[in-house]
Amino acid sequence: MLLIDFYVLLVGLLLGSFFNVVAIRLLKNKSVAFPPSHCPNCKHKLAVFDLIPVFSYVFLGGKCRYCKTKISPLYPFGELLTATSIFITYKWVGLTLELVPALILTILLVLAVLTDIREKLILDVITLPALVILLIARLFVGSEPFWFYLIGGVVGFSLLLLIAIVSKGGMGGGDIKLYAAIGVALGPWMTIMSLVLASFVGTIVGITLIIFGIAKRKEPIAFGPFIFIGTFAAYLWGREIWNWYVNLFW
């Protein structure tokens, strides 16, 4: 099991490095495959040594080996986020068929975070294919009938659409479609919980940023990271959270 755990973490780190490239290039409407990885400043092609997840960043002191330009800490962040998320999902869900939709959802959430924290955008080119794949997966995998997950998608889409209308654009179209995919993965009840958790965490963080002068009132902040936290928590520990809430207040 330790060998499998190590392999999952290693694959997660490698995927994280690739997802950084996917996020950056899709945001710029560029090919994910070409050209090969290179420094965005000096354009020098990166060697294998420069591409070792996390290690290369630490060993090179967070700078390009060729032009010494500082490398964004978002690179190791993306690698660690991907590896940790995939590992936790694998350990919690186990080697079951449910791991298929679970990993699709995890990858979608990670990519949403990586694009949202960079440009405050959640891309349809990532979300819509993931939504289709989740729909297909839920035809064959799930503890509930397919219609349950279909309703979840409708609920997720409708709730975010309603929030966008009421807030007059306070919620982006990318968030709305992302929640349709989340709904298909979680079903209606856990989708609602994920939104409640995401909103709660987002509110706490937003107030904190305003108090410390890091953000200004009415300044938009990326909601993707909070969607990630809320959805991840609801999917993996939703029942435990609900039971804790019921025991606390009833």
Side-chain angles (χ1 to χ4, degrees):
M1 289 302 295
L2 287 176
L3 186 62
I4 296 176
D5 289 351
F6 174 78
Y7 177 76
V8 171
L9 281 171
L10 179 61
V11 170
L13 285 170
L14 293 173
L15 284 175
S17 181
F18 175 64
F19 291 162
N20 277 325
V21 175
V22 171
I24 291 169
R25 295 197 180 185
L26 289 182
L27 282 169
K28 296 179 179 179
N29 291 316
K30 293 184 177 180
S31 168
V32 173
F34 300 99
S37 294
H38 57 276
C39 172
N41 183 62
C42 66
K43 310 301 179 186
H44 196 290
K45 181 180 176 181
L46 300 181
V48 173
F49 180 79
D50 304 314
L51 297 170
I52 303 173
V54 182
F55 173 81
S56 292
Y57 181 87
V58 174
F59 186 81
L60 296 171
K63 296 180 180 179
C64 172
R65 186 152 61 104
Y66 309 99
C67 68
K68 306 306 178 184
T69 299
K70 292 187 69 173
I71 301 171
S72 170
L74 290 179
Y75 285 95
F77 168 77
E79 293 160 355
L80 290 171
L81 177 67
T82 305
T84 304
S85 303
I86 288 177
F87 183 76
I88 292 174
T89 301
Y90 148 72
K91 292 298 286 185
W92 198 262
V93 176
L95 294 174
T96 64
L97 287 176
E98 181 61 25
L99 189 60
V100 174
L103 287 177
I104 295 168
L105 176 64
T106 300
I107 290 170
L108 172 60
L109 291 171
V110 167
L111 286 170
V113 170
L114 295 182
T115 59
D116 208 25
I117 58 177
R118 284 182 166 91
E119 298 292 341
K120 294 185 176 65
L121 288 172
I122 296 176
L123 303 177
D124 291 351
V125 71
I126 296 172
T127 303
L128 295 181
L131 172 59
V132 172
I133 296 171
L134 281 168
L135 282 167
I136 295 172
R138 282 305 185 204
L139 278 170
F140 306 99
V141 181
S143 58
E144 304 290 343
F146 177 69
W147 59 262
F148 180 82
Y149 299 105
L150 201 59
I151 291 174
V154 173
V155 168
F157 181 88
S158 301
L159 281 175
L160 269 289
L161 179 61
L162 180 61
I163 292 172
I165 293 172
V166 172
S167 63
K168 297 180 180 179
M171 194 67 65
D175 302 271
I176 297 171
K177 280 163 271 192
L178 176 61
Y179 251 99
I182 291 171
V184 170
L186 271 60
W189 311 125
M190 289 300 131
T191 297
I192 295 171
M193 176 180 284
S194 82
L195 181 57
V196 171
L197 292 173
S199 301
F200 176 75
V201 175
T203 300
I204 297 299
V205 172
I207 292 173
T208 303
L209 293 176
I210 292 171
I211 290 174
F212 286 96
I214 300 173
K216 298 178 181 178
R217 291 190 63 183
K218 296 186 178 180
E219 178 183 346
I221 60 174
F223 194 52
F226 309 121
I227 293 177
F228 173 92
I229 294 170
T231 302
F232 209 65
Y235 180 74
L236 297 180
W237 306 293
R239 296 183 187 280
E240 289 81 358
I241 293 172
W242 175 250
N243 290 335
W244 170 83
Y245 175 80
V246 170
N247 291 332
L248 187 64
F249 292 101
W250 297 90

